[in-house]
Amino acid sequence: GRRGGAGRREPPSRSPAGSMAPAAPPPLLLAVLLVLGQPVLGAPGQGAGTWSRFARLPYPQDQLFLHDTFPDGFLWGAGSAAYQTEGGWRQGGKGASVWDTFAHRPAAPPPGSVPPGPAGGDVASDSYNNLYRDAEGLRRLGVSHYRFSLAWARLLPNGTAPLNPAGLAHYRRLLGRLRELGVEPVVTLYHWDLPQGLQDAFGGWASPVLPRLFRDYAELCFRHFGGQVRYWLTMDNPYVVAWHGYGTGRLPPGVRGGPRLGYRAAHHLLQAHAKVWHLYNDHFRPTQRGKVSIALSSHWIKPQRMTEKDIKECQKSLDFVLGWFAKPIFIDGDYPESMRSNLSSLLPEFSEVEKKYIKGTADFFALSFGATLSFQLLDSHMKFQQLESISLRQLLYWISSEYNNPQIFIVENSWFVSGSTKRDDAKYIYYLKKFIMETLKAIRYDGVNVFGYTVWSLLDGFEWHRGYSIRRGLFYVDFQSHDKKLMPKSSVLFYQKLIEKNGFPPLPENQPIEGILPCGFAWGIVDNYIQVDTTPAQFLDSNVYVWDVHQTKKLIKVDGVFTSKRKRHCVDFAAIRLQISLLQEMHVTHFHFSLKWSLILPLGNLSLINHTLVHYYQCFASELLRVNITPVVALWQPMAENQDLPVSLAKCGAWENPETVQAFVEYAKFCFTSLGDHVKFWITMNEPSVKNLTYTAGHNLLKAHAKAWHLYDKEFRRSQKGKISIALQADWVEPACPFSRNDQEVADRILEFDIGWLAEPIFGNGDYPQVMRAWLHRRNSVDLYNFHLPYFSEDEKKLIQGSFDFFALSHYTTTLVGWEKEDALKYDHYLEVQMINDITWLHSPGRAAVVPWGLRKLLKWVKSKYGDVPVYVMANGIDDGQNMVYDKLRVYYIQNYINEALKAYTLDNVNLQGYFVYSFNDKTAPKYGLYSYTANQYEPKPSMKHYIEIIDNNGFPGPETPELLCREEIASCPECHFFRTRKSLLAFISFIFVAFIVTIFFITYYSKRVERRYK
């Protein structure tokens, strides 16, 4: 059986890639934000500066998670719409709406549309019969407001008088219950469900009669409910109603009237809104003291390229969707100039009187943003060949700049999960987290005036053109059940806690700490394989050459004539000198690299040895020691081609073949013998990839490691005085829903399969984790194929258990996992695990998540599982896409991962002994190096200089940090090593020196004798 599955992340091409956030905005970020300024008040088009402003913000500081709270009195709520949740479509005298008719139509849907399903909203969540159930959900959340809509056809079945008493009583009961709970109602008069009677009689919003009828309906609502409502929304998302209801026909009433009719319907919707605002302002505001606005929906768009042309196209896109309604209301009563100039006669005209009448008819800006419009109902032509995005923060800034910094009330926002997802809705949570975080940044960083936020929606319901294929509720509804109970999802707990805390307040664990690491701490750097260049120096060539001065002007080898050849010296390898000098500049104490088994023993045994390469490794290690850098050497590291096994072994089953075990032990013995005088820090196997490992191969690999360890322990440790262990790939795994027991079980299972599989036999009880055995037993009972996990004999358990001197791990990132299947591409069927992405995390160009706290959790887990074992973080790094902008992310990565390691050492008492950055340079590990490599030149990146600073400080000392006095190492000095390894050279120099002294003596002596003779 092979381990693996969809969506599992491998270490970055041996290769790697992992949020800690500041309690307050970094000083640099605040300074830049002050320079770039708050939203500027001015003429329409001012929002065009949004794209360039956000492109100039400092990276990655501006993208870090902001731990802060919202302003006092900030409104937190949830919302719903009548047709989506009420059901009861023929109860209590309700009339038919255009959505009822549309959902019941027998004809095929228009091309490109998704049929809502035969049931539509007939029953939906049955909120009409479960008013107190919904109110209990609101009480549990602790919201300050509830946005809901009145069903026009429930109050006025035909759209006009007479009034339906049952409908009136229903909404009075709802408002009364909200008052009892202290929840503020935010009431929408019209949320897409136009009475069918008005469509049949007048043609709906295509008719100029509708604004007056809408005013009459609003007056009835103000008169009966206005005493209990402070926030009114005249209508929701007029863009969708006009464009898809009367232009494309994708949505009810399904009229395919083309752009001209779509623009006419929008014209009437604006007139209707203005009539209702003036009605309230003139007749109801003095006594009811409420506020009236219109819920406008928008997408966000970003330019293909940051050119003036593309930015203008983005501005035009927002004009055509949001500005179509917002500019007349919030600026001057007329449509955006870009629409006027592009649409000419298609766009209706407002008279000067109408412009004045419409201008200013909103008491706040009510914004809807999310899954209804974005990537769904936005007409593709209105993108103007630019790229749709979901940046709420940039949209808020654009609105603030474009419309004179209005007060903004977010009245609908969220994303969605699959219709099959039940109660652990992790994807939904992380979108909410992203949107709420962007709202907080818009307030704190950008000066945008947002005063409320509304999650959409309170409960699962009928999702318009997508029917029941998706869910957007905080509470789960089983639509097949009779009683339609509300069951809280994980997002309820998330939102409830967020409301309690009024945001994301700073927590102690989010704060960086000051302190230093212990004496002798190993500060290292990693290279997969060192650069090997064994080209012989000219002094090692024994051939004799003649210079052809007459014809070719070249050296010609004389056949059969040879000179004596001198012994090889380490100074003959120029490549070693360069690499050692680069390492010296880094101030590291340790350098970790792997040997190439396939090159040292090409045939897999001692019958053919690459002595030149072995000598190269000996020289490299001795030169490292000469400059006080400890070599950390791995015997084997699996790479793409043949897993870097000798070809003969790779072709004979690789690790599946038990003979590979003995071959590895022979190879290890040869390396210990040849290099052991220089190497005191051994890794048997470096990052064996569990994803590509069968259970049989893993079984043999563990035995090979243990035998190599015991070989070193018995035959080499006493004389060489080194240490040896295995290095495991160990990324952290976190439950996607922190409140879900099922997700926690999945996370525990993945940790055992990813780390415990190889760690438990060595560092634990000598056998595989019980979780693995139990899971495979369960899988084998239902699967067609049998995934057999081998058993160790008692002798093998004793051999493997305890075969370590330290715990070495490579850690790059953190993964979120859940049990609910949401995305097939990221679902591992074998382990029944869904990979989830927290979109608030920073990500590298290679999509590696930057999650520093994951390292601390991992180190604590290792300690809790395997005791107070010495731990080395043998590789930790991230890619930069060979773009120096992203080296700034590496600076942040190194700083914060090391700080989390310091927390593990200082606060959690983890026996941390060393930390190594991956990787040395871009030549051997493209995109991961601290040195860039271009045109045969190595250049240090800023991240390297930052790492040097941390090494020189031995951590993060502060004013209160006590000074650490470390006893100097006296075991070896580089000078002593230099002299020991160059005895013949020293003898020759000594001879020359003595001969020189004797010569001087005789010259002086005889010169004096000659002098005396002549006197």
Side-chain angles (χ1 to χ4, degrees):
R2 183 177 298 279
R3 271 279 287 105
R8 303 305 306 282
R9 193 181 169 281
E10 272 291 273
S13 37
R14 112 65 149 162
S15 287
S19 166
M20 195 172 117
L28 172 64
L29 177 57
L30 284 176
V32 173
L33 289 166
L34 285 171
V35 170
L36 294 177
Q38 307 284 308
V40 181
L41 307 186
Q46 196 71 55
T50 302
W51 291 276
S52 58
R53 177 190 189 268
F54 280 89
R56 297 196 306 272
L57 292 178
Y59 177 85
Q61 290 84 353
D62 182 63
Q63 294 186 21
L64 300 180
F65 196 86
L66 174 60
H67 286 276
D68 202 348
T69 55
F70 284 79
D72 291 343
F74 191 82
L75 301 178
W76 295 104
S80 70
Y83 185 76
Q84 290 186 280
T85 59
E86 273 190 2
W89 80 285
R90 287 193 298 189
Q91 281 183 260
K94 177 185 174 295
S97 73
V98 292
W99 265 98
D100 292 318
T101 304
F102 194 72
H104 299 154
R105 73 199 185 289
S113 73
V114 179
D122 288 2
V123 179
S125 321
D126 202 23
S127 288
Y128 181 73
N129 297 302
N130 290 279
L131 182 153
Y132 290 96
R133 174 204 68 180
D134 293 358
E136 178 58 23
L138 293 168
R139 187 196 63 77
R140 179 166 183 166
L141 285 169
V143 294
S144 54
H145 69 272
Y146 176 45
R147 180 191 169 193
F148 64 94
S149 72
L150 306 173
W152 189 345
R154 192 174 293 284
L155 288 167
L156 299 172
N158 295 314
T160 58
L163 175 66
N164 175 22
L168 186 67
H170 170 73
Y171 292 117
R172 278 181 170 162
R173 280 197 303 275
L174 174 56
L175 288 167
R177 182 60 184 144
L178 293 177
R179 186 172 66 247
E180 290 170 8
L181 293 174
V183 174
E184 188 83 57
V186 177
V187 180
T188 309
L189 293 171
Y190 166 61
H191 200 127
W192 305 8
D193 48 352
L194 184 73
Q196 184 63 42
L198 297 183
Q199 184 64 34
D200 294 340
F202 304 104
W205 290 108
S207 167
V209 175
L210 259 287
R212 177 180 57 78
L213 298 178
F214 185 60
R215 180 199 178 281
D216 294 344
Y217 161 60
E219 184 174 10
L220 178 147
C221 296
F222 293 153
R223 200 171 301 284
H224 287 281
F225 309 129
Q228 300 176 64
V229 179
R230 284 200 308 153
Y231 293 100
W232 289 98
L233 300 173
T234 55
M235 59 186 69
D236 181 88
N237 203 338
Y239 168 87
V240 167
V241 174
W243 192 253
H244 291 303
Y246 295 87
T248 68
R250 281 187 67 187
L251 298 179
V255 178
R256 297 186 215 174
R260 187 178 299 278
L261 190 62
Y263 290 123
R264 191 194 309 163
H267 204 69
H268 298 149
L269 285 162
L270 277 165
Q271 290 171 330
H273 159 76
K275 279 183 179 293
V276 170
W277 187 88
H278 282 287
L279 166 71
Y280 189 86
N281 192 58
D282 296 342
H283 299 286
F284 294 96
R285 192 189 302 274
T287 55
Q288 295 181 359
R289 298 179 182 175
K291 295 183 177 182
V292 178
S293 189
I294 179 173
L296 300 180
S297 187
S298 185
H299 62 306
W300 181 247
I301 198 93
K302 62 182 182 181
Q304 295 250 20
R305 294 168 299 278
M306 282 298 292
T307 62
E308 186 177 344
K309 176 180 178 296
D310 281 6
I311 289 174
K312 281 184 177 178
E313 295 298 282
C314 289
Q315 180 78 5
K316 190 192 299 183
S317 175
L318 292 172
D319 279 347
F320 268 66
V321 179
L322 179 57
W324 184 5
F325 301 93
K327 182 175 173 285
I329 294 169
F330 289 92
I331 299 295
D332 59 7
D334 201 2
Y335 297 116
E337 183 55 39
S338 59
M339 292 184 75
R340 283 251 166 256
S341 58
N342 278 270
L343 298 173
S344 62
S345 61
L346 281 177
L347 203 60
E349 296 274 352
F350 286 119
S351 68
E352 289 304 315
V353 172
E354 285 177 320
K355 289 178 186 176
K356 290 177 183 176
Y357 191 72
I358 292 171
K359 177 184 174 182
T361 56
D363 301 322
F364 54 90
F365 197 112
L367 175 65
S368 168
F369 182 77
T372 303
L373 183 66
S374 294
F375 296 95
Q376 283 295 317
L377 293 174
L378 174 65
D379 191 285
S380 59
H381 296 100
M382 294 186 183
K383 297 179 190 178
F384 296 98
Q385 299 181 327
Q386 304 309 307
L387 304 172
E388 200 171 352
S389 173
I390 53 169
S391 176
L392 176 56
R393 178 184 172 190
Q394 293 187 45
L395 175 61
L396 289 169
Y397 186 87
W398 186 89
I399 290 169
S400 196
S401 301
E402 190 78 6
Y403 302 120
N404 293 325
N405 195 21
Q407 284 191 311
I408 300 173
F409 192 174
I410 298 171
V411 294
E412 175 184 342
N413 178 237
S414 76
W415 208 241
F416 62 90
V417 292
S418 162
S420 61
T421 299
K422 293 182 171 59
R423 296 177 61 183
D424 286 331
D425 53 342
K427 174 185 167 184
Y428 186 89
I429 288 175
Y430 291 112
Y431 272 94
L432 268 193
K433 185 179 173 187
K434 167 189 164 64
F435 291 136
I436 294 171
M437 168 54 49
E438 290 190 351
T439 304
L440 180 60
K441 285 184 176 180
I443 295 169
R444 296 300 187 198
Y445 287 172
D446 308 327
V448 179
N449 190 356
V450 185
F451 68 90
Y453 179 89
T454 312
V455 167
W456 201 268
S457 65
L458 173 65
L459 68 167
D460 290 335
F462 174 74
E463 289 300 331
W464 307 119
H465 61 296
R466 286 188 278 187
Y468 296 100
S469 65
I470 64 167
R471 292 176 180 268
R472 295 185 68 193
L474 293 167
F475 287 90
Y476 175 80
V477 176
D478 180 354
F479 297 112
Q480 306 305 317
S481 68
H482 177 70
D483 56 4
K484 304 286 189 300
K485 283 184 180 177
L486 286 196
M487 290 178 275
K489 302 182 189 179
S490 292
S491 52
V492 165
L493 296 170
F494 167 80
Y495 194 47
Q496 184 184 55
K497 289 184 180 296
L498 189 141
I499 292 171
E500 282 177 13
K501 296 175 181 178
N502 198 32
F504 310 98
L507 301 171
E509 57 264 34
N510 298 324
Q511 310 305 311
I513 66 166
E514 294 175 345
I516 53 177
L517 287 147
C519 290
F521 190 80
W523 290 105
I525 192 75
V526 188
D527 210 351
N528 291 342
Y529 298 107
I530 57 173
Q531 181 188 340
V532 175
D533 183 357
T534 58
T535 305
Q538 59 182 343
F539 307 110
L540 299 177
D541 191 349
S542 60
N543 293 293
V544 175
Y545 297 85
V546 175
W547 187 14
D548 182 1
V549 295
H550 298 294
Q551 294 180 8
T552 64
K553 310 291 185 184
K554 294 180 180 178
L555 292 172
I556 300 172
K557 186 167 71 172
V558 180
D559 293 334
V561 180
F562 302 96
T563 64
S564 58
K565 187 165 72 171
R566 72 163 173 80
K567 192 178 175 183
R568 288 175 179 271
H569 297 299
C570 291
V571 291
D572 294 325
F573 298 119
I576 291 179
R577 294 198 302 272
L578 174 61
Q579 291 179 82
I580 297 296
S581 66
L582 293 174
L583 287 166
Q584 278 185 283
E585 290 179 23
M586 302 185 84
H587 299 195
V588 293
T589 63
H590 290 64
F591 179 55
H592 173 30
F593 64 95
S594 299
L595 305 177
K596 290 188 79 74
W597 183 4
S598 60
L599 296 183
I600 294 173
L601 301 180
L603 300 181
N605 55 47
L606 300 178
S607 64
L608 179 62
I609 300 169
N610 187 337
H611 289 288
T612 303
L613 180 58
V614 172
H615 179 61
Y616 188 93
Y617 284 133
Q618 289 170 337
C619 287
F620 198 96
S622 67
E623 288 298 298
L624 284 172
L625 290 172
R626 187 179 64 81
V627 297
N628 263 356
I629 297 176
T630 301
V632 181
V633 180
L635 294 171
W636 174 72
Q637 177 175 315
M639 295 299 278
E641 190 176 358
N642 294 327
Q643 300 182 63
D644 198 48
L645 293 170
V647 176
S648 59
L649 296 176
K651 286 183 176 178
C652 294
W655 287 108
E656 295 273 335
N657 188 345
E659 291 182 11
T660 305
V661 175
Q662 192 53 41
F664 181 77
V665 176
E666 288 178 9
Y667 163 64
K669 185 172 184 177
F670 174 76
C671 292
F672 298 152
T673 304
S674 305
L675 300 171
D677 288 342
H678 307 293
V679 178
K680 312 299 180 188
F681 199 142
W682 289 100
I683 301 292
T684 55
M685 294 143 178
N686 195 52
E687 292 187 23
S689 172
V690 295
K691 180 181 178 182
N692 299 316
L693 208 58
T694 65
Y695 293 126
T696 301
H699 203 68
N700 289 331
L701 190 144
L702 283 166
K703 289 192 280 189
H705 154 77
K707 287 184 176 183
W709 187 90
H710 283 284
L711 170 70
Y712 188 84
D713 192 52
K714 290 174 183 174
E715 298 185 24
F716 296 94
R717 190 188 297 276
R718 186 173 298 172
S719 60
Q720 296 181 0
K721 297 181 172 56
K723 53 188 174 183
I724 183 169
S725 198
I726 189 171
L728 302 177
Q729 161 74 18
D731 285 338
W732 181 244
V733 179
E734 185 79 2
C737 291
F739 320 106
S740 166
R741 186 180 302 169
N742 289 333
D743 282 7
Q744 184 63 59
E745 286 178 5
V746 170
D748 292 342
R749 180 162 70 245
I750 300 304
L751 285 170
E752 294 295 359
F753 270 83
D754 281 2
I755 306 172
W757 176 8
L758 299 180
E760 185 64 30
I762 298 170
F763 300 93
N765 61 12
D767 200 359
Y768 297 115
Q770 186 55 39
V771 169
M772 281 187 76
R773 289 217 182 272
W775 181 259
L776 290 173
H777 178 74
R778 182 194 144 195
R779 292 296 304 179
N780 291 340
S781 65
V782 295
D783 282 347
L784 180 63
Y785 300 102
N786 188 13
F787 297 100
H788 175 63
L789 188 62
Y791 286 87
F792 293 113
S793 67
E794 289 304 315
D795 287 342
E796 286 173 336
K797 287 181 183 178
K798 290 176 184 176
L799 177 79
I800 296 169
Q801 185 180 20
S803 58
F804 68 91
D805 295 334
F806 51 87
F807 195 115
L809 59 90
S810 299
H811 175 85
Y812 305 105
T813 189
T814 290
T815 304
L816 293 170
V817 296
W819 73 278
E820 292 260 27
K821 184 177 179 181
E822 177 68 32
D823 180 354
L825 293 176
K826 296 181 179 179
Y827 187 78
D828 185 333
H829 292 271
Y830 173 60
L831 290 174
E832 295 182 8
V833 55
Q834 177 71 60
M835 306 299 156
I836 303 287
N837 182 32
D838 183 341
I839 52 178
T840 66
W841 286 351
L842 287 171
H843 288 82
S844 73
R847 300 308 299 155
V850 180
V851 194
W853 51 258
L855 176 57
R856 181 182 177 190
K857 287 198 171 189
L858 173 69
L859 293 172
K860 288 171 70 176
W861 182 84
V862 169
K863 181 181 178 182
S864 69
K865 288 277 293 181
Y866 306 118
D868 194 30
V869 58
V871 179
Y872 289 85
V873 178
M874 295 303 297
N876 179 237
I878 197 170
D879 64 289
D880 58 19
Q882 294 184 321
N883 183 334
M884 290 306 289
V885 169
Y886 291 104
D887 188 61
K888 295 176 182 178
L889 181 61
R890 183 182 288 112
V891 170
Y892 172 82
Y893 182 100
I894 291 172
Q895 167 88 13
N896 288 280
Y897 271 82
I898 295 176
N899 198 266
E900 291 296 320
L902 176 64
K903 290 178 186 177
Y905 170 75
T906 305
L907 305 177
D908 308 325
N909 296 314
V910 173
N911 187 4
L912 186 64
Q913 300 282 312
Y915 171 89
F916 293 66
V917 167
Y918 181 83
S919 127
F920 180 20
N921 63 73
D922 280 345
K923 183 176 183 180
T924 51
K927 306 176 187 177
Y928 288 89
L930 296 194
Y931 278 103
S932 63
Y933 180 77
T934 311
N936 294 323
Q937 293 292 319
Y938 292 93
E939 289 292 334
K941 300 177 184 178
S943 54
M944 177 182 135
K945 296 172 184 175
H946 190 69
Y947 187 39
I948 290 171
E949 185 181 334
I950 295 172
I951 293 172
D952 291 346
N953 289 322
N954 200 33
F956 308 93
E960 307 296 317
T961 306
E963 189 176 352
L964 186 66
L965 298 174
C966 297
R967 191 166 58 86
E968 290 294 326
E969 298 275 347
I970 50 177
S972 65
C973 66
E975 293 80 6
C976 303
H977 184 80
F978 177 86
F979 291 122
R980 280 200 305 273
T981 56
R982 290 165 175 80
K983 292 178 182 176
S984 57
L985 177 64
L986 287 173
F988 177 71
I989 292 173
S990 301
F991 171 76
I992 296 295
F993 180 72
V994 171
F996 176 75
I997 296 298
V998 169
T999 302
I1000 295 297
F1001 172 76
F1002 279 113
I1003 290 172
T1004 306
Y1005 174 76
Y1006 282 107
S1007 65
K1008 287 186 177 178
R1009 285 190 63 178
V1010 170
E1011 222 175 276
R1012 282 200 297 271
R1013 184 181 300 171
Y1014 281 101
K1015 283 182 180 178

